[in-house]
Amino acid sequence: MVNNTKKSFGILGGSFDPAHKGHLIITKIAIKKIKLNKVFWLVTKKNPFKKKSFYSLNQRMNYAKKITRGEKKIQVKNLDKIVGSSRSINVINYLVNKKKLKNIYFIIGSDNLIQFHKWKSWKKIVKLTKLIVFSRKGYDKKGKKSIVAKYLKNKIIFIDNKHLSFSSTKIRRQSQKKF
């Protein structure tokens, strides 16, 4: 799909509350289709669009590391303290300016694309990275008609993946039922 001769990096960020096989599957698809050298799972302490996390940051980090064990191209990190923020734009600025990373792909689902224009400095995010959008059941049409999709025109890489039934929300609900 994409022909890269230089190193390329993916960012899949979020609360990972908890991480699940769906995250792993889309990461592997991105690595293969975009030919990414490394994907950073950036686990944030708090998602600014959610009230609070179900699992602690420690639990979420440990589970993300467990699920990616043996995956050499996936690195789980929490950069909130180093960067002083959990905002995507601040993390991207850190990776670009301090770590000198170039050729960065920002991975989101079509559900996030719908609200992406509400993210802090979203125009700068799409200027510093290439946006990869994975299909999410029930969100694709709205995502493709979103403010950001219209703004970027044909500059978004849409991945038409099989719909995955994995969901952090479903996992949390199942965990609550056990107690």
Side-chain angles (χ1 to χ4, degrees), residues 65-127:
K65 287 177 181 177
K66 181 180 175 183
I67 209 168
T68 59
R69 189 177 297 130
E71 300 293 339
K72 291 180 169 84
K73 291 190 174 191
I74 303 172
Q75 196 170 30
V76 177
K77 293 189 162 292
N78 170 268
L79 297 176
D80 292 4
K81 284 185 182 177
I82 295 167
V83 174
S85 170
S86 62
R87 300 279 184 177
S88 296
I89 187 58
N90 297 333
V91 173
I92 291 166
N93 280 329
Y94 169 79
L95 293 172
V96 168
N97 298 320
K98 299 284 188 211
K99 295 297 181 182
K100 305 297 183 206
L101 296 187
K102 295 178 181 169
N103 210 24
I104 299 173
Y105 291 81
F106 195 69
I107 304 165
I108 64 171
S110 58
D111 55 328
N112 282 317
L113 183 59
I114 296 166
Q115 300 296 320
F116 198 73
H117 66 282
K118 294 181 180 178
W119 290 29
K120 182 177 174 27
S121 304
W122 70 270
K123 286 184 179 177
K124 191 167 183 193
I125 292 171
V126 298
K127 186 177 180 182

Side-chain angles (χ1 to χ4, degrees), residues 22 25-26 36 44 57 68 72 77-78 87 109 115 121 123 129 131 136-138 146 166-168:
I25 290 167
I26 66 166
L36 299 173
T44 184
L57 177 60
T68 59
K72 291 180 169 84
K77 293 189 162 292
N78 170 268
R87 300 279 184 177
Q115 300 296 320
S121 304
K123 286 184 179 177
T129 68
L131 199 57
R136 292 285 308 261
K137 189 174 184 176
S146 69
F166 303 100
S167 158
S168 295

Side-chain angles (χ1 to χ4, degrees), residues 147-160:
I147 291 169
V148 178
K150 288 176 185 173
Y151 175 82
L152 290 174
K153 296 186 174 69
N154 295 326
K155 294 181 184 169
I156 297 175
I157 300 168
F158 286 98
I159 306 289
D160 191 21

